[in-house]
Amino acid sequence: MNQYYYVLSVNGLLFIFSLIFYFFPPKKINSLYGYRTNKSMKNEDVWQFANQFFTKQFIIYAAISLVAAVILAYINPKITWQPMVILLLSLAVSVIKTEQALSQNFDDDGNRK
């Protein structure tokens, strides 16, 4: 498989998902679509904040992930697991930053601090 197809199918798909979340955010709390954690589903205010914050982080880190993976594919044509690790790191950073923002802005019951 061509390394660029691999990068686009892994990291490019992540970037496309981030754009879908940005242009079509979830309207109400649900169990199928959006940033769903116990903390983010406490109430509508937390839900809206978490999804807006996560989407911004997700776009930034998905774009970084895509660019980094393309550069890596250019430098090393025999890439295997590296784009997937970059993808997982970008997702992890987005989730961690969102959870930190939720903890800074809301208490355990979902009330704004």
Side-chain angles (χ1 to χ4, degrees), residues 36-103:
R36 301 176 321 270
T37 62
N38 289 334
K39 195 179 282 189
S40 70
M41 297 174 76
K42 291 281 185 188
N43 61 45
E44 199 65 37
D45 188 28
V46 178
W47 175 258
Q48 293 301 325
F49 177 86
N51 278 282
Q52 287 173 356
F53 190 88
F54 177 75
T55 300
K56 290 175 187 172
Q57 298 300 308
F58 195 33
I59 286 175
I60 292 167
Y61 291 106
I64 291 170
S65 166
L66 180 59
V67 170
V70 167
I71 291 170
L72 181 66
Y74 178 75
I75 292 171
N76 181 12
K78 297 193 186 304
I79 58 172
T80 54
W81 51 269
Q82 296 90 345
M84 190 62 72
V85 170
I86 294 170
L87 174 139
L88 292 173
L89 286 174
S90 64
L91 276 173
V93 170
S94 298
V95 169
I96 290 168
K97 285 182 156 275
T98 303
E99 288 299 313
Q100 288 174 342
L102 286 175
S103 294

Side-chain angles (χ1 to χ4, degrees), residues 2-23:
N2 184 324
Q3 73 268 21
Y4 295 109
Y5 292 148
Y6 177 56
V7 166
L8 291 176
S9 67
V10 173
N11 302 84
L13 195 59
L14 181 74
F15 185 69
I16 289 170
F17 281 140
S18 71
L19 292 176
I20 290 171
F21 283 144
Y22 181 77
F23 289 112

